[in-house]
Amino acid sequence: MGIENLMEPSNIKWISSPGPDSDIVISSRVRLARNINDIPFPHLLPEQEAKTIIKNVHETLRADANLGQNIELYNMAELPEEHKILLSEMHLISPDLASSKNGAVIVNQDETISIMINEEDHLRIQVMLPGLQLDEAFKEIDKIDDLLEAKLDFAFDEKIGYLTACPTNVGTGMRASVMMHLPVLTMMDQMGQIFATISQVGLVVRGIYGEGSQAKGNLYQISNQITLGKSEEDIIQNVMGVTRQILMSERKIRENLSGEARVRLEDRILRSYGILTNAKIISSQEALAYISDVKLGVDMGIIKDLEPLVLNSLFITTGPAYIQGISNTEMSPVERDLYRADFIRQKIRK
Amino acid sequence: MLCEECQMRPATIHITKIVNNEKFQVHLCEVCAKQKHISLPTGFSVLGFDDAGFSVGKLLSSFFEPTEQSLTNAMDNAKCNRCGLSFDNFIQTGRFGCSQCYNTFKDQMNPLLRRIHGKTYHVGKVPRRTGGQLRIQHEINRLKGELQEAINAEEYERAAVIRDKIKQLEQSKNAENKDKDTE
């Protein structure tokens, strides 16, 4: 499975298949931090031992009847810089892993599972599904964790749980997050209020591309902050409950928009659609804003005959490294912007 | 985790503040924290976060408030036997060196965890190889919490169901103990 296959949008389950409420909740992601007992954490780990961990994890997964045939290992040291950026644009690795020379990632065929090795912790297991399915993602990740723990001696303390490099992850080692598209709440200046409210229940919101009102593409990530003293199930239910509330308020405001506010929003959406269908040159940042508008238009029924999932995937497939990757040539930023505009037109023109 | 300010460097400074019983957390890298003298990232001022007179030094020492200053000093020189990390290193980077560090610096652990998570006990998943006993005990602890919640909410029917479950689990735990004794 080469990088080309990874890039094929129809291979990426979380952007190519619909999920529950996937008009607003783009994806659900659960990650577990795990470490091998009694050897230094990655930032102090000698290269040889780091390689041994990669080998052991890879072999354990290869031996599994279900997963074994469907996974691919990528060593950071062997990947060109642009591929590492690509993997992080696709949310398969973190920027931290990209810069670690002992790092590696194992990805499964539909890209729902990615296992980062030697990032901040020895293992960062991640499962990503379309729509609001944190509970399903947890079920899946729990199985992978069981599979790995049968062969690897994970660092675990009876009192404080799974031990991690940073004490902010100790306990369950779990981070459950959803990626939400909230254009109308953002437009109505409601996000500040939401940030404040959910921090009181131990959750955090951040912009996926930039913070606060600068959140490009109106995409936000909501996740649990606390990993100790709550069970995995409680954490999942807590994040899902809050996500549903935010989802409902975004929907409600969309439905209740009327009069001038509605006309102005429709105007903005249709102008953005006009730009995306006609622009010659477009930067990734600019594209995010218009894709968000057009997506909202499709979801509200203002723009018809456009497949909603096409817009979800454009959030990912218009990134600089992705555009560079599919064009398969070395490009200057201007050439990329030209290529991107062309690519978007092809995707959304009827 | 990346710094909330620059989104580039890893966040090594984690601040938890409790104001009027509400908990707020900030994650910054050292550079941004210094630049800001830990004045606050956008969003937090709205929460009525008092940012006057905050500094890195104060922040870290506030992490260790309940422990005596002398203990903190003594810990500066303590090093983990396994990886050689000193407590000072940890304060600078926010990362431990290996799983043994949690044991080496265990005296510092409770106040630290309480400040980060508000709790000091894990109630979630237990690896299978750690054994059934601990798994059962965890389930009992979790149910006891639920029982308390049910009683507080005056949901006595639910409480009775939970109480029976706890009894059942305690019996199976004792049975397993006896099995072990006779083996």
Side-chain angles (χ1 to χ4, degrees):
Chain A
M1 189 161 55
I3 291 280
E4 299 73 31
N5 280 332
L6 277 185
M7 289 177 66
E8 172 51 46
S10 62
N11 290 344
I12 310 171
K13 189 173 176 190
W14 69 272
I15 55 174
S16 65
S17 330
D21 300 307
S22 60
D23 53 333
I24 292 174
V25 185
I26 312 270
S27 65
S28 296
R29 170 160 55 161
V30 177
R31 77 107 167 103
L32 297 176
R34 295 289 186 258
N35 288 284
I36 313 293
N37 199 23
D38 216 24
I39 63 169
F41 293 141
H43 68 111
L44 294 179
L45 192 64
E47 191 181 335
Q48 211 44 49
E49 288 185 71
K51 281 186 174 155
T52 309
I53 298 179
I54 297 174
K55 185 167 155 276
N56 290 345
V57 173
H58 192 212
E59 279 175 4
T60 304
L61 294 169
R62 293 275 295 180
D64 181 66
N66 295 323
L67 267 181
Q69 300 307 309
N70 298 324
I71 53 165
E72 195 73 34
L73 170 78
Y74 303 91
N75 280 303
M76 290 304 122
E78 292 161 12
L79 283 184
E81 204 52 40
E82 61 268 25
H83 286 175
K84 290 190 226 170
I85 302 172
L86 176 69
L87 289 175
S88 82
E89 270 181 19
M90 295 170 71
H91 303 277
L92 290 171
I93 66 170
S94 64
D96 270 3
L97 188 81
S99 58
S100 135
K101 66 180 190 334
N102 292 331
V105 65
I106 294 173
V107 181
N108 75 333
Q109 216 150 42
D110 64 10
E111 297 174 46
T112 49
I113 303 169
S114 95
I115 299 170
M116 289 190 276
I117 309 168
N118 298 324
E119 206 241 25
E120 183 179 289
D121 294 298
H122 292 139
L123 290 175
R124 286 280 174 100
I125 313 164
Q126 170 184 296
V127 167
M128 192 142 155
L129 296 176
L132 182 54
Q133 312 194 58
L134 279 176
D135 40 0
E136 286 303 314
F138 175 68
K139 270 185 212 158
E140 196 159 328
I141 207 165
D142 195 35
K143 279 187 222 154
I144 301 168
D145 185 43
D146 285 345
L147 182 73
L148 289 167
E149 108 186 354
K151 293 276 187 262
L152 305 167
D153 184 15
F154 285 153
F156 180 85
D157 179 89
E158 297 201 351
K159 200 173 139 255
I160 58 173
Y162 290 96
L163 303 177
T164 52
C166 182
T168 51
N169 295 314
V170 92
T172 58
M174 188 176 83
R175 198 77 64 199
S177 65
V178 290
M179 193 200 292
M180 299 187 87
H181 182 236
L182 304 171
V184 179
L185 284 172
T186 308
M187 185 178 84
M188 297 299 203
D189 246 345
Q190 297 289 303
M191 288 314 293
Q193 183 62 38
I194 292 178
F195 279 48
T197 314
I198 83 167
S199 71
Q200 292 169 22
V201 289
L203 305 187
V204 267
V205 200
R206 49 173 68 97
I208 305 258
Y209 305 102
E211 289 298 317
S213 58
Q214 300 302 305
K216 292 270 161 40
N218 301 310
L219 292 174
Y220 298 88
Q221 177 183 288
I222 290 149
S223 63
N224 64 303
Q225 183 85 326
I226 287 161
T227 55
L228 179 69
K230 281 193 172 135
S231 70
E232 287 82 355
E233 289 79 6
D234 286 350
I235 294 171
I236 298 279
Q237 288 314 319
N238 190 13
V239 181
M240 283 188 76
V242 169
T243 303
R244 281 201 193 95
Q245 280 179 21
I246 298 174
L247 175 87
M248 270 163 11
S249 55
E250 170 78 21
R251 281 225 176 99
K252 208 169 186 179
I253 308 182
R254 287 184 190 185
E255 282 160 17
N256 292 344
L257 269 185
S258 61
E260 191 187 332
R262 170 125 191 149
V263 176
R264 285 200 181 276
L265 180 65
E266 284 184 15
D267 179 66
R268 190 179 98 191
I269 287 169
L270 291 169
R271 278 168 189 259
S272 297
Y273 189 40
I275 291 171
L276 283 190
T277 41
N278 289 287
K280 253 339 245 181
I281 296 179
I282 198 161
S283 73
S284 63
Q285 296 291 301
E286 198 188 356
L288 281 175
Y290 297 133
I291 293 165
S292 168
D293 282 348
V294 173
K295 177 174 162 49
L296 178 63
V298 172
D299 293 339
M300 288 178 72
I302 294 164
I303 297 171
K304 298 197 166 62
D305 307 326
L306 241 179
E307 173 58 39
L309 285 172
V310 169
L311 278 311
N312 285 11
S313 68
L314 279 178
F315 279 129
I316 301 300
T317 57
T318 54
Y322 193 94
I323 290 292
Q324 181 83 63
I326 38 166
S327 76
N328 228 343
T329 49
E330 194 66 34
M331 290 191 291
S332 69
V334 181
E335 287 170 321
R336 257 201 320 260
D337 290 353
L338 212 94
Y339 194 99
R340 179 180 297 110
D342 203 41
F343 178 79
I344 296 173
R345 271 201 315 275
Q346 283 174 27
K347 293 279 177 196
I348 66 172
R349 255 194 190 160
K350 291 162 221 163
Chain B
M1 179 189 288
L2 288 181
C3 169
E4 289 175 359
E5 272 300 304
C6 63
Q7 292 287 321
M8 283 163 58
R9 291 172 287 262
T12 51
I13 295 184
H14 309 275
I15 314 167
T16 304
K17 261 263 175 185
I18 295 171
V19 181
N20 297 332
N21 280 329
E22 284 174 17
K23 192 158 77 184
F24 305 109
Q25 297 194 313
V26 192
H27 305 276
L28 298 172
C29 69
E30 233 162 315
V31 179
C32 292
K34 262 182 200 149
Q35 263 176 8
K36 306 222 108 202
H37 302 287
I38 309 285
S39 67
L40 291 149
T42 40
F44 270 80
S45 49
V46 216
L47 305 177
F49 204 115
D50 176 18
D51 62 357
F54 233 61
S55 74
V56 180
K58 272 189 194 170
L59 155 73
L60 286 172
S61 55
S62 78
F63 253 5
F64 299 102
E65 254 164 10
T67 53
E68 293 297 322
Q69 190 62 39
S70 59
L71 181 54
T72 312
N73 287 343
M75 291 308 292
D76 288 346
N77 302 322
K79 280 194 170 155
C80 173
N81 285 334
R82 178 64 187 87
C83 67
L85 188 102
S86 70
F87 198 70
D88 217 22
N89 290 148
F90 165 69
I91 294 204
Q92 280 164 16
T93 64
R95 285 180 191 178
F96 287 117
C98 67
S99 47
Q100 279 304 315
C101 287
Y102 279 90
N103 193 32
T104 312
F105 307 117
K106 65 172 182 285
D107 293 341
Q108 306 299 89
M109 214 45 78
N110 272 357
L112 181 68
L113 293 177
R114 195 177 297 283
R115 277 173 172 69
I116 298 172
H117 298 283
K119 300 267 171 61
T120 57
Y121 274 95
H122 175 58
V123 296
K125 183 170 181 174
V126 174
R128 257 169 237 287
R129 66 168 64 195
T130 312
Q133 283 286 318
L134 188 62
R135 292 172 83 93
I136 296 172
Q137 190 53 51
H138 268 244
E139 183 61 12
I140 292 174
N141 292 347
R142 196 185 64 77
L143 286 171
K144 278 184 179 163
E146 237 177 67
L147 179 64
Q148 197 53 51
E149 273 174 32
I151 292 171
N152 291 345
E154 299 186 4
E155 297 172 17
Y156 298 116
E157 275 177 29
R158 187 163 78 97
V161 175
I162 299 170
R163 184 202 57 208
D164 292 347
K165 264 194 215 163
I166 294 174
K167 250 188 207 160
Q168 218 175 7
L169 284 171
E170 269 170 351
Q171 275 164 6
S172 67
K173 199 178 95 181
N174 292 337
E176 207 171 297
N177 273 342
K178 272 182 199 153
D179 285 353
K180 271 192 188 149
D181 290 344
T182 51
E183 262 169 25

